[in-house]
Amino acid sequence: MPAEPGRPASRHVLILGGTTEARGLAEALAGAAAAEPAGAPRPVRVTTSLAGRVAAPVLPPGGTRVGGFGGAAGLAAWTAAHRVTHLVDATHPFAERMSFHAAAAHALTGVPLLALRRPGWSPGPGDDWTFTGSLGGAADLLACRGRARVFLTTGRMGLHHFAHLTDPWFLVRSVDPPAAPAPPRLEVLLDRGPFTLAGERELLERHRVDVLVTKDSGGSATAPKLVAAREAGLPVLVVRRPAAPEGVPEADSVAAALRWLARTP
């Protein structure tokens, strides 16, 4: 459902979405609006913006738009044209370009900005994790492992970083099929989280995986793979999160984001 420019509302929250937390915030705001008495002015209008990288996304309640804004200036212009009063960056922790565009748009418009970022993962007792700063760094580490059987859960967009590796066998899980270039020894599993611990255990055993590669995405939807890897004694290569814009207030949960919205004029 497209957003409507100029629609009267006391508040218009634009959520830069694509995450579980973005959907949860949209659901909470839409639910609050639906609970208002009939005929009362709608206190919150919510629009969720999706990047459009998934062919069939699960749409949140409220207004939605799909596609880019045309950089920070485009986001600022859309924000002004649609009378956005609050901007929430709830994009994936690795969507760093959009986060910097949001910070720049905030600077241009003065619209309050919040970053809704779930906490990252931390290794615990029994975990065998190696951190690296990039997908290219993860590929370099895999090159030293020879004919490893790799469960690659870093998404389809960065698969080209591993395309030159001819020795490892890769199991790649993604929502949509990945595009070339890709490693020659590759099996693709199309699936969408959340995933269960039992399912991840079975997957690692069935495919005889001996190393897991993941981004530090955080959250619970895909965390069972880390528990399954620990139980199986498998090493895990973890790509660290990229730098985020400085000076932007952060919330680590939907509840914290709602509190910020409640106290921010």
Side-chain angles (χ1 to χ4, degrees), residues 227-258:
V227 179
R230 179 196 311 140
E231 292 177 348
L234 300 183
V236 181
L237 305 183
V238 182
V239 180
R240 293 187 185 92
R241 293 183 177 189
E246 296 182 357
V248 176
E250 294 189 8
D252 62 2
S253 67
V254 170
L258 291 171

Side-chain angles (χ1 to χ4, degrees), residues 53-210:
R53 292 181 177 177
V54 177
V58 179
L59 297 180
T64 58
R65 65 172 306 280
V66 178
F69 290 94
L75 174 57
W78 197 97
T79 297
H82 292 78
R83 302 180 186 178
V84 171
T85 60
H86 298 78
L87 179 59
V88 179
D89 173 17
T91 56
H92 192 276
F94 283 80
E96 67 268 31
R97 184 169 62 177
M98 193 67 238
S99 292
F100 279 93
H101 286 174
H106 160 69
L108 289 170
T109 63
V111 172
L113 169 64
L114 175 73
L116 174 51
R117 296 193 181 97
R118 56 188 177 234
W121 292 317
S122 299
D127 284 321
D128 179 10
W129 291 12
T130 299
F131 285 90
T132 182
S134 65
L135 290 174
D140 291 342
L141 291 171
L142 287 177
C144 302
R145 293 180 176 268
R147 298 182 69 82
R149 295 182 64 83
V150 183
F151 183 24
L152 185 63
T153 64
T154 55
R156 65 187 179 93
M157 303 302 293
L159 200 55
H160 62 279
H161 289 283
F162 305 89
H164 65 287
L165 298 178
T166 57
D167 287 336
W169 174 87
F170 289 91
L171 174 65
V172 172
R173 181 167 64 192
S174 62
V175 176
D176 295 319
R185 304 179 67 216
L186 174 69
E187 180 173 338
V188 176
L189 175 62
L190 298 181
D191 204 355
R192 187 196 301 265
F195 303 105
T196 66
L197 178 55
E200 300 294 61
R201 287 169 176 158
E202 191 275 334
L203 184 147
L204 295 181
E205 181 177 358
R206 170 162 46 94
H207 292 282
R208 295 179 288 114
V209 171
D210 51 33

